[in-house]
Amino acid sequence: MSFTPESLPDLRGRVYLVTGGNAGLTIAKLNPLNSGYHTVLQLAAHHATVYLGSRSEAKGSAAIKEIKVTVPDADVHLLKMDNMNLKSIVSAAHELCKKEKRLHGLVNNAGVMATPFEKTVDGYESQFQINYISHWLLTQLLMPLILAAASSSAPGVVRVVNVSSSAHGNAPSNGIDLQDTDQKNGNPLSRYGSSKLANILHVNELDRRYRLLTSSADGNDAEREIWFASVHPGMVDTNLIRNANGSRMLAIIASIVTTLMKVLPISVPPEKGAYTQLFAIASDRFTRAMSGAYLVPVAKVGTTTKQGKDEELAKALWEWTENEMKRAGFI
């Protein structure tokens, strides 16, 4: 039987954060409501408390208002954050830690695709920071809430999901050059590919480090399980390439893809684009054996590139990111 959100359990008492809950998941500007929005909507419809991460207070608030039209009793809250600015990520994490004692699910969904080269205020190439670095930092800063939830929940209730893409195959043959994460000789698509590969490697290393923990800090041994997944949502009719006009090549690609999506059955609407990440973050049918997996539509275990399975690269990327965040004073 194929997965649909209707099969999700009652999520009452659980707390979730979905980044990019009001904008951007995949490839063409065909629908203003995206899979992040529909992930928030469905979690709220199943009685969870949901925080919608948005860099725009106005757009985030508008999304919440729209959700409450469909789910009048939706328990949804805005969490302002801007992945282009790591200080904003720190502030958002601190705010959530003040408001909640536990976090049962984190969906790192916000992203941009194949945008022209740009540096963030933190000095990183924008796609690599927006899609990967900011989510790594957010996950680490929220880990105390995640661990607290795992300590008081059944195994596998607590999960972290990274939205990746099959486009991780566009990363350079060496995967990610940690001496040149800007890809000075790269192009928008290869930089996007590296950021999406980083999302997969991040999940792989999270799963290795955190899936099963035994703690006796309080004098009592306690097992805590956290499950992880990276997700390719499929080609979804949304507005991820919103800056394609910054590049003639990308504008042409976006135009071709938009046309194909209108005439061929190669895309899915945003609500169905959310299915696989909803399955990963909250379905009872997502199992321990799937933790750390790369999922593809709809709710199936897929296969990554060779680089996506590289354990040494995953460890090296983690260490590089951790050192960068320590150097900047964020952790």
Side-chain angles (χ1 to χ4, degrees):
M1 182 182 296
S2 60
F3 170 80
T4 64
E6 286 70 28
S7 67
L8 289 175
D10 190 319
L11 302 174
R12 205 179 312 269
R14 301 187 195 179
V15 180
Y16 294 86
L17 166 60
V18 180
T19 71
N22 67 284
L25 213 195
T26 143
I27 195 146
K29 192 173 182 179
L30 301 177
N31 192 314
L33 300 181
N34 67 80
S35 295
Y37 169 91
H38 287 283
T39 299
V40 174
L41 173 64
Q42 289 296 335
L43 292 174
H46 288 80
H47 311 296
T49 295
V50 189
Y51 287 83
L52 184 155
S54 173
R55 68 174 182 169
S56 166
E57 185 171 352
K59 291 180 180 179
S61 297
I64 292 172
K65 182 178 180 180
E66 186 66 25
I67 286 169
K68 289 188 175 183
V69 170
T70 304
V71 185
D73 62 346
D75 187 11
V76 182
H77 310 271
L78 177 67
L79 188 65
K80 191 174 179 182
M81 62 175 66
D82 182 356
N83 283 24
M84 281 282 282
N85 188 328
L86 294 175
K87 288 183 179 179
S88 171
I89 300 302
V90 174
S91 295
H94 287 173
E95 181 180 347
L96 187 59
C97 288
K98 290 179 182 177
K99 292 182 175 180
E100 300 292 342
K101 294 182 179 180
R102 296 175 182 82
L103 182 65
H104 298 84
L106 171 61
V107 183
N108 290 318
N109 165 82
V112 293
M113 178 180 177
T115 52
F117 183 84
E118 180 183 4
K119 287 269 198 173
T120 69
V121 295
D122 301 290
Y124 301 103
E125 190 274 325
S126 59
Q127 291 188 88
F128 201 66
Q129 177 168 323
I130 292 170
N131 296 347
Y132 165 65
I133 295 176
S134 288
H135 284 135
W136 187 97
L137 179 59
L138 179 67
T139 304
Q140 285 306 106
L141 293 174
L142 293 178
M143 193 55 70
L145 295 186
I146 294 169
L147 291 171
S151 294
S152 58
S153 302
V157 165
V158 180
R159 305 177 194 176
V160 176
V161 172
N162 280 355
V163 176
S164 182
S165 170
S166 61
H168 74 275
N170 290 331
S173 59
N174 63 346
I176 299 171
D177 183 353
L178 297 177
Q179 303 302 314
D180 179 25
T181 56
D182 287 351
Q183 280 193 48
K184 294 180 178 65
N185 296 318
N187 60 66
L189 291 174
S190 68
R191 294 185 187 105
Y192 177 68
S194 287
S195 72
K196 294 288 101 179
L197 173 60
N199 291 146
I200 293 171
L201 295 173
H202 180 208
V203 157
N204 294 351
E205 190 65 6
L206 280 167
D207 188 64
R208 186 183 74 83
R209 289 169 179 256
Y210 290 105
R211 185 198 297 198
L212 177 60
L213 298 172
T214 301
S215 172
S216 57
D218 57 0
N220 297 309
D221 288 340
E223 286 193 347
R224 299 172 291 183
E225 281 195 44
I226 306 169
W227 295 352
F228 304 90
S230 53
V231 169
H232 167 52
M235 189 174 287
V236 187
D237 297 349
T238 61
N239 63 340
L240 195 57
I241 293 191
R242 63 174 180 269
N243 292 321
N245 60 352
S247 163
R248 180 175 176 80
M249 177 188 73
L250 293 177
I252 292 172
I253 292 173
S255 177
I256 293 171
V257 170
T258 300
T259 300
L260 288 173
M261 291 171 77
K262 288 179 177 178
V263 300
L264 297 175
I266 63 173
S267 66
V268 296
E271 61 272 19
K272 289 189 177 181
Y275 282 14
T276 302
Q277 60 206 61
L278 282 164
F279 171 81
I281 200 65
S283 174
D284 288 338
R285 290 163 55 189
F286 183 85
T287 66
R288 177 188 285 119
M290 293 178 178
S291 185
Y294 170 70
L295 302 182
V296 298
V298 171
K300 299 175 183 177
V301 175
T303 301
T304 68
T305 61
K306 179 181 178 180
Q307 290 85 356
K309 301 180 182 74
D310 190 330
E311 294 180 4
E312 292 306 312
L313 181 57
K315 292 177 184 178
L317 177 62
W318 181 286
E319 291 171 0
W320 176 88
T321 313
E322 186 175 50
N323 289 334
E324 288 289 304
M325 297 301 96
K326 286 181 177 178
R327 180 182 58 80
F330 293 129
I331 58 174

